[in-house]
PDB file of all heavy atoms in Angstrom:
ATOM      1  N   PRO A 238      29.928   7.624  13.070  1.00 96.00           N
ATOM      2  CA  PRO A 238      31.348   8.010  13.049  1.00 96.00           C
ATOM      3  C   PRO A 238      32.018   7.955  11.711  1.00 96.00           C
ATOM      4  O   PRO A 238      31.736   7.005  10.760  1.00 96.00           O
ATOM      5  CB  PRO A 238      32.087   7.035  14.036  1.00 96.00           C
ATOM      6  CG  PRO A 238      30.875   6.792  14.965  1.00 96.00           C
ATOM      7  CD  PRO A 238      29.643   6.709  14.327  1.00 96.00           C
ATOM      8  N   ARG A 239      32.882   8.941  11.361  1.00 96.00           N
ATOM      9  CA  ARG A 239      33.554   9.083  10.109  1.00 96.00           C
ATOM     10  C   ARG A 239      32.432   9.406   8.948  1.00 96.00           C
ATOM     11  O   ARG A 239      32.790   8.845   7.853  1.00 96.00           O
ATOM     12  CB  ARG A 239      34.479   8.042   9.778  1.00 96.00           C
ATOM     13  CG  ARG A 239      35.781   8.356   9.065  1.00 96.00           C
ATOM     14  CD  ARG A 239      36.317   7.343   8.239  1.00 96.00           C
ATOM     15  NE  ARG A 239      35.481   6.951   7.069  1.00 96.00           N
ATOM     16  CZ  ARG A 239      35.811   6.242   6.000  1.00 96.00           C
ATOM     17  NH1 ARG A 239      36.964   5.455   6.107  1.00 96.00           N
ATOM     18  NH2 ARG A 239      34.839   5.885   5.078  1.00 96.00           N
ATOM     19  N   GLY A 240      31.528  10.110   9.319  1.00 95.00           N
ATOM     20  CA  GLY A 240      30.468  10.438   8.313  1.00 95.00           C
ATOM     21  C   GLY A 240      30.464  11.899   8.190  1.00 95.00           C
ATOM     22  O   GLY A 240      31.330  12.584   7.511  1.00 95.00           O
ATOM     23  N   LYS A 241      29.486  12.592   8.836  1.00 96.00           N
ATOM     24  CA  LYS A 241      29.364  13.945   8.826  1.00 96.00           C
ATOM     25  C   LYS A 241      30.756  14.638   9.322  1.00 96.00           C
ATOM     26  O   LYS A 241      31.393  14.157  10.318  1.00 96.00           O
ATOM     27  CB  LYS A 241      28.240  14.463   9.728  1.00 96.00           C
ATOM     28  CG  LYS A 241      27.984  15.921   9.813  1.00 96.00           C
ATOM     29  CD  LYS A 241      26.700  16.090  10.769  1.00 96.00           C
ATOM     30  CE  LYS A 241      26.284  17.539  10.718  1.00 96.00           C
ATOM     31  NZ  LYS A 241      25.073  17.728  11.588  1.00 96.00           N
ATOM     32  N   ARG A 242      31.137  15.666   8.707  1.00 96.00           N
ATOM     33  CA  ARG A 242      32.399  16.362   8.888  1.00 96.00           C
ATOM     34  C   ARG A 242      33.615  15.839   8.286  1.00 96.00           C
ATOM     35  O   ARG A 242      34.690  16.375   8.499  1.00 96.00           O
ATOM     36  CB  ARG A 242      32.687  16.669  10.387  1.00 96.00           C
ATOM     37  CG  ARG A 242      31.472  17.394  11.095  1.00 96.00           C
ATOM     38  CD  ARG A 242      31.630  17.514  12.589  1.00 96.00           C
ATOM     39  NE  ARG A 242      30.401  18.070  13.164  1.00 96.00           N
ATOM     40  CZ  ARG A 242      29.426  17.409  13.590  1.00 96.00           C
ATOM     41  NH1 ARG A 242      29.479  15.950  13.529  1.00 96.00           N
ATOM     42  NH2 ARG A 242      28.395  17.811  14.098  1.00 96.00           N
ATOM     43  N   TYR A 243      33.512  14.660   7.582  1.00 97.00           N
ATOM     44  CA  TYR A 243      34.703  13.988   6.935  1.00 97.00           C
ATOM     45  C   TYR A 243      34.431  14.082   5.329  1.00 97.00           C
ATOM     46  O   TYR A 243      33.382  14.031   4.835  1.00 97.00           O
ATOM     47  CB  TYR A 243      34.705  12.585   7.381  1.00 97.00           C
ATOM     48  CG  TYR A 243      35.126  12.380   8.862  1.00 97.00           C
ATOM     49  CD1 TYR A 243      34.262  12.620   9.898  1.00 97.00           C
ATOM     50  CD2 TYR A 243      36.428  12.136   9.103  1.00 97.00           C
ATOM     51  CE1 TYR A 243      34.633  12.474  11.174  1.00 97.00           C
ATOM     52  CE2 TYR A 243      36.859  11.948  10.408  1.00 97.00           C
ATOM     53  CZ  TYR A 243      35.907  12.184  11.494  1.00 97.00           C
ATOM     54  OH  TYR A 243      36.435  12.082  12.707  1.00 97.00           O
ATOM     55  N   LEU A 244      35.669  14.139   4.687  1.00 98.00           N
ATOM     56  CA  LEU A 244      35.725  14.235   3.325  1.00 98.00           C
ATOM     57  C   LEU A 244      35.587  12.864   2.618  1.00 98.00           C
ATOM     58  O   LEU A 244      35.512  12.736   1.452  1.00 98.00           O
ATOM     59  CB  LEU A 244      36.893  14.985   2.799  1.00 98.00           C
ATOM     60  CG  LEU A 244      36.938  16.507   3.146  1.00 98.00           C
ATOM     61  CD1 LEU A 244      38.221  17.146   2.636  1.00 98.00           C
ATOM     62  CD2 LEU A 244      35.727  17.254   2.764  1.00 98.00           C
ATOM     63  N   GLU A 245      35.459  11.768   3.473  1.00 98.00           N
ATOM     64  CA  GLU A 245      35.303  10.509   2.814  1.00 98.00           C
ATOM     65  C   GLU A 245      33.850  10.502   2.364  1.00 98.00           C
ATOM     66  O   GLU A 245      33.104  11.288   2.566  1.00 98.00           O
ATOM     67  CB  GLU A 245      35.388   9.340   3.933  1.00 98.00           C
ATOM     68  CG  GLU A 245      36.871   9.013   4.188  1.00 98.00           C
ATOM     69  CD  GLU A 245      37.705  10.004   5.042  1.00 98.00           C
ATOM     70  OE1 GLU A 245      37.149  11.072   5.536  1.00 98.00           O
ATOM     71  OE2 GLU A 245      38.920   9.891   5.221  1.00 98.00           O
ATOM     72  N   GLU A 246      33.512   9.407   1.520  1.00 98.00           N
ATOM     73  CA  GLU A 246      32.183   9.446   0.798  1.00 98.00           C
ATOM     74  C   GLU A 246      31.118   9.458   1.713  1.00 98.00           C
ATOM     75  O   GLU A 246      30.009  10.022   1.463  1.00 98.00           O
ATOM     76  CB  GLU A 246      32.103   8.027  -0.083  1.00 98.00           C
ATOM     77  CG  GLU A 246      33.119   7.924  -1.151  1.00 98.00           C
ATOM     78  CD  GLU A 246      32.783   8.858  -2.462  1.00 98.00           C
ATOM     79  OE1 GLU A 246      32.187   8.475  -3.204  1.00 98.00           O
ATOM     80  OE2 GLU A 246      33.346   9.985  -2.416  1.00 98.00           O
ATOM     81  N   THR A 247      31.336   8.797   3.011  1.00 98.00           N
ATOM     82  CA  THR A 247      30.209   8.867   4.003  1.00 98.00           C
ATOM     83  C   THR A 247      29.965  10.352   4.537  1.00 98.00           C
ATOM     84  O   THR A 247      28.903  10.556   5.068  1.00 98.00           O
ATOM     85  CB  THR A 247      30.708   7.895   5.188  1.00 98.00           C
ATOM     86  OG1 THR A 247      32.058   8.317   5.469  1.00 98.00           O
ATOM     87  CG2 THR A 247      30.610   6.536   4.761  1.00 98.00           C
ATOM     88  N   GLY A 248      30.789  11.150   4.243  1.00 98.00           N
ATOM     89  CA  GLY A 248      30.526  12.530   4.737  1.00 98.00           C
ATOM     90  C   GLY A 248      30.137  13.542   3.499  1.00 98.00           C
ATOM     91  O   GLY A 248      29.406  14.464   3.800  1.00 98.00           O
ATOM     92  N   VAL A 249      30.441  13.207   2.393  1.00 98.00           N
ATOM     93  CA  VAL A 249      30.123  14.230   1.173  1.00 98.00           C
ATOM     94  C   VAL A 249      29.402  13.664   0.032  1.00 98.00           C
ATOM     95  O   VAL A 249      28.797  14.334  -0.755  1.00 98.00           O
ATOM     96  CB  VAL A 249      31.464  14.703   0.631  1.00 98.00           C
ATOM     97  CG1 VAL A 249      32.214  15.572   1.622  1.00 98.00           C
ATOM     98  CG2 VAL A 249      32.408  13.616   0.069  1.00 98.00           C
ATOM     99  N   LYS A 250      29.197  12.245  -0.092  1.00 98.00           N
ATOM    100  CA  LYS A 250      28.510  11.646  -1.148  1.00 98.00           C
ATOM    101  C   LYS A 250      27.030  11.681  -0.777  1.00 98.00           C
ATOM    102  O   LYS A 250      26.535  11.114   0.101  1.00 98.00           O
ATOM    103  CB  LYS A 250      28.888  10.331  -1.532  1.00 98.00           C
ATOM    104  CG  LYS A 250      28.267   9.868  -2.802  1.00 98.00           C
ATOM    105  CD  LYS A 250      28.848   8.463  -3.267  1.00 98.00           C
ATOM    106  CE  LYS A 250      28.213   7.983  -4.598  1.00 98.00           C
ATOM    107  NZ  LYS A 250      28.718   6.711  -4.958  1.00 98.00           N
ATOM    108  N   ILE A 251      26.248  12.474  -1.526  1.00 98.00           N
ATOM    109  CA  ILE A 251      24.867  12.579  -1.246  1.00 98.00           C
ATOM    110  C   ILE A 251      23.929  11.920  -2.277  1.00 98.00           C
ATOM    111  O   ILE A 251      24.272  11.733  -3.375  1.00 98.00           O
ATOM    112  CB  ILE A 251      24.452  14.123  -1.263  1.00 98.00           C
ATOM    113  CG1 ILE A 251      24.691  14.803  -2.589  1.00 98.00           C
ATOM    114  CG2 ILE A 251      25.227  14.930  -0.208  1.00 98.00           C
ATOM    115  CD1 ILE A 251      24.011  16.257  -2.900  1.00 98.00           C
TER     116      ILE A 251
END
Side-chain angles (χ1 to χ4, degrees):
R239 213 206 69 174
K241 186 175 181 178
R242 304 176 187 88
Y243 288 80
L244 294 185
E245 281 77 6
E246 299 287 272
T247 44
V249 293
K250 188 174 183 181
I251 60 167

